[in-house]
Amino acid sequence: MAHRIECADAGMDCAFVVESESDDELVELAKLHGQRQHHVEMDEADVRELIKPAG
């Protein structure tokens, strides 16, 4: 089952959305996005709380 993370759910004014079958991949991609686009370091546990079902 696919899951997703939306940057806006982290409180950012940003349309970034990532979907994947792998929660580990979601976390990695979301953390990279935060670092590169928002200059924010996020804790893995905090990112995992943003995961929700896709669709």
Side-chain angles (χ1 to χ4, degrees):
M1 174 192 220
H3 289 104
R4 72 190 289 151
I5 292 178
E6 297 181 31
C7 192
D9 290 343
M12 298 292 187
D13 183 20
C14 179
F16 177 81
V17 176
V18 63
E19 292 187 11
S20 178
E21 295 285 331
S22 167
D23 288 356
D24 291 337
E25 181 179 35
L26 278 177
V27 170
E28 186 62 29
L29 292 172
K31 286 178 69 174
L32 283 172
H33 170 76
Q35 291 168 354
R36 293 178 180 165
Q37 299 301 315
H38 304 294
H39 310 288
V40 173
E41 295 286 333
M42 291 187 69
D43 182 68
E44 182 174 337
D46 293 334
V47 175
R48 287 190 179 277
E49 290 181 14
L50 299 172
I51 296 173
K52 59 186 177 184

